[in-house]
Amino acid sequence: MEHEMRAEYEEGVLPHADTPVKIWHMVRLDGTLAMCGRELAPAAATQSAEVWGTRQGEPFCHTCGALYLREHPGDIA
């Protein structure tokens, strides 16, 4: 299954190119429902699942990380 990372922002903040990311979540490719169950904005920034576990992917949702690892145990960065 394909995944990507999607940004969550502070409450009431609209996503724009320069909006600071509160936390990154893992979603199914092109989805808006994070693996942890949080619904994310369709316009939120995304990045490749391959940056998971790197500085570029921080801060990252711990719950999404645990669930992602269960589906991709060989992808530990």
Side-chain angles (χ1 to χ4, degrees):
M1 176 154 301
E2 298 281 331
H3 294 83
E4 66 184 349
M5 295 171 61
R6 185 173 289 273
E8 175 185 349
Y9 304 97
E10 293 293 336
E11 188 71 31
V13 175
L14 297 174
H16 295 288
D18 60 345
T19 304
V21 173
K22 176 181 175 184
I23 192 165
W24 289 98
H25 294 273
M26 193 67 73
V27 299
R28 306 273 190 267
L29 193 60
D30 297 323
T32 58
L33 182 64
M35 294 181 80
C36 68
R38 182 172 296 277
E39 186 65 41
L40 303 168
T46 60
Q47 56 184 352
S48 168
E50 287 158 16
V51 300
W52 180 82
T54 69
R55 186 187 319 275
Q56 187 180 349
E58 293 294 328
F60 190 78
C61 172
H62 293 274
T63 303
C64 283
L67 294 168
Y68 179 69
L69 278 178
R70 293 188 90 180
E71 290 188 17
H72 297 273
D75 290 352
I76 297 174

